[in-house]
Amino acid sequence: MDKVMKEVINAYRAQKINVDSFLKTFIKSLPKNYIDQSLSILKQYRFIQLMYGVDSEFKQSTPVISKKESDLSQIGGNKSHYFLKLQLDEDDVYISNPYIHHKTGRASLSVVHFIDSTYYVFDVNLIHLLEDLKLIEYNSFHDKIKRTIYFFGSTMLAIVAIALIVYGGYVFFALIFSLSSSDFLHDIFKSIISMTLGLAIYDLAKQIFEHEVIYQSFHQTEDKQYKVLGKFLISIIIALSIETLMVVFKIALDDASKMLSAFYLLIGTTIMLIGLGYFYRTIQESTPKDDC
């Protein structure tokens, strides 16, 4: 099952009593000639995907009416397999468990109301229902724009990362095959730093793509962005540590009088590392832990 669908279903289960109560009140408030008023009902309430009627012998007695069409092909069809676990409440209403709708592929509910020997079935889009009840925040148009921007941004970051990794490989192989006459120590560290930064940027692009393009949560976890930032900072600190090591070696070999500058650089990198450790500790302490 898709992660988004799982989250929608979990959001419903967390508010099941309130949502079911709303659906019962809503169904009973509709005009009782459901099929005759179907077009106005579907137009007014976007969370209703389709509706139809089934007689007391579980034979479909009306067309399947949706916002786009009225399907007559299933009239007379046997629907008894859908009613095996049907248990009407005192108001002759039944609300199914969440499921993935076979036509729309979206998380859905079925609401059945028994009136005058007819079972009226309403298929409800769970995302739209929860959004209308302000239990989730979801806007398809805004979501598409946001995903497009994140897709473009993460793709460009990935291209930059690949370019850095390729450049680092080029410098390394140029050095190995004596295509470059530059200082060996300088070039080998340049290669390492380039590839390390490339991997850090690629990891950042991957995190953005996975969290904002492939899977966008309705309920943002408070520590998600910190985890992404933390992983990126770790890679940057590694790159800086390598750069610091390179500077220390070069000063030690060329001009030991500048060693104090290398020491300051080493202190700065160490402070960043300590800051990152404090950052992680603060995040862990502020994240609520589940009770065992």
Side-chain angles (χ1 to χ4, degrees):
M1 187 186 299
D2 185 86
K3 288 183 177 181
V4 174
M5 295 302 102
K6 285 184 178 180
E7 189 171 1
V8 171
I9 292 174
N10 288 335
Y12 162 74
R13 287 173 175 166
Q15 297 288 336
K16 178 177 171 58
I17 296 176
N18 294 329
V19 175
D20 288 0
S21 177
F22 166 79
L23 285 173
K24 291 178 182 180
T25 303
F26 165 75
I27 291 298
K28 290 188 292 184
S29 69
L30 292 176
K32 294 302 180 284
N33 50 341
Y34 295 134
I35 302 303
D36 294 338
Q37 299 293 325
S38 59
L39 295 180
S40 62
I41 292 173
L42 290 168
K43 183 178 180 180
Q44 185 176 359
Y45 304 102
R46 64 172 186 150
F47 55 82
I48 300 181
Q49 301 177 112
L50 56 85
M51 50 193 296
Y52 60 91
V54 176
D55 62 25
S56 59
E57 297 180 354
F58 304 123
K59 304 290 185 181
Q60 185 168 320
S61 57
T62 72
V64 177
I65 305 171
S66 64
K67 290 179 172 63
K68 295 182 179 180
E69 62 181 358
S70 180
D71 185 5
L72 302 172
S73 63
Q74 300 184 44
I75 293 180
N78 185 3
K79 298 291 182 178
S80 59
H81 53 288
Y82 289 125
F83 291 82
L84 293 176
K85 297 182 180 180
L86 180 71
Q87 292 183 347
L88 298 172
D89 62 11
E90 64 277 3
D91 297 315
D92 290 330
V93 175
Y94 167 78
I95 300 175
S96 73
N97 291 320
Y99 62 91
I100 303 302
H101 200 279
H102 68 283
K103 287 188 176 181
T104 64
R106 297 175 180 175
S108 304
L109 292 174
S110 287
V111 182
V112 180
H113 193 192
F114 184 65
I115 301 177
D116 299 331
S117 302
T118 300
Y119 297 94
Y120 291 98
V121 181
F122 302 83
D123 283 355
V124 175
N125 184 313
L126 197 50
I127 292 180
H128 289 167
L129 175 63
L130 295 178
E131 184 185 7
D132 289 349
L133 294 177
K134 308 302 181 183
L135 296 177
I136 63 172
E137 294 182 3
Y138 181 76
N139 184 287
S140 59
F141 179 71
H142 175 264
D143 186 65
K144 288 177 181 178
I145 293 177
K146 184 170 63 175
R147 286 172 186 263
T148 301
I149 293 173
Y150 275 120
F151 174 78
F152 178 77
S154 60
T155 301
M156 294 305 297
L157 278 175
I159 293 173
V160 171
I162 293 171
L164 283 170
I165 294 172
V166 170
Y167 175 74
Y170 167 76
V171 172
F172 174 75
F173 285 109
L175 187 64
I176 292 297
F177 294 104
S178 301
L179 298 179
S180 173
S181 58
S182 301
D183 180 69
F184 178 85
L185 190 62
H186 178 271
D187 283 351
I188 198 68
F189 276 109
K190 181 192 293 184
S191 174
I192 294 172
I193 292 169
S194 178
M195 288 188 284
T196 303
L197 285 175
L199 289 173
I201 295 173
Y202 181 81
D203 188 63
L204 176 63
K206 180 175 72 70
Q207 292 289 328
I208 293 174
F209 188 82
E210 288 179 351
H211 288 90
E212 304 296 345
V213 179
I214 295 179
Y215 172 52
Q216 173 63 52
S217 175
F218 292 118
H219 303 285
Q220 299 290 338
T221 56
E222 294 181 356
D223 63 339
K224 185 188 75 174
Q225 63 270 33
Y226 299 127
K227 289 180 179 179
V228 175
L229 178 62
K231 292 185 69 175
F232 180 69
L233 287 176
I234 287 173
S235 300
I236 294 300
I237 291 175
I238 290 173
L240 283 174
S241 300
I242 296 172
E243 179 73 24
T244 302
L245 188 62
M246 181 187 74
V247 170
V248 170
F249 284 160
K250 286 181 67 66
I251 289 176
L253 294 175
D254 296 338
D255 187 359
S257 63
K258 298 180 180 178
M259 186 61 71
L260 187 60
S261 299
F263 175 74
Y264 288 147
L265 182 60
L266 184 61
I267 290 296
T269 305
T270 303
I271 291 174
M272 288 188 64
L273 185 60
I274 293 173
L276 181 63
Y278 179 76
F279 170 80
Y280 266 110
R281 178 180 177 182
T282 303
I283 296 304
Q284 289 178 352
E285 290 177 350
S286 62
T287 302
K289 306 227 175 9
D290 295 333
D291 295 333
C292 298

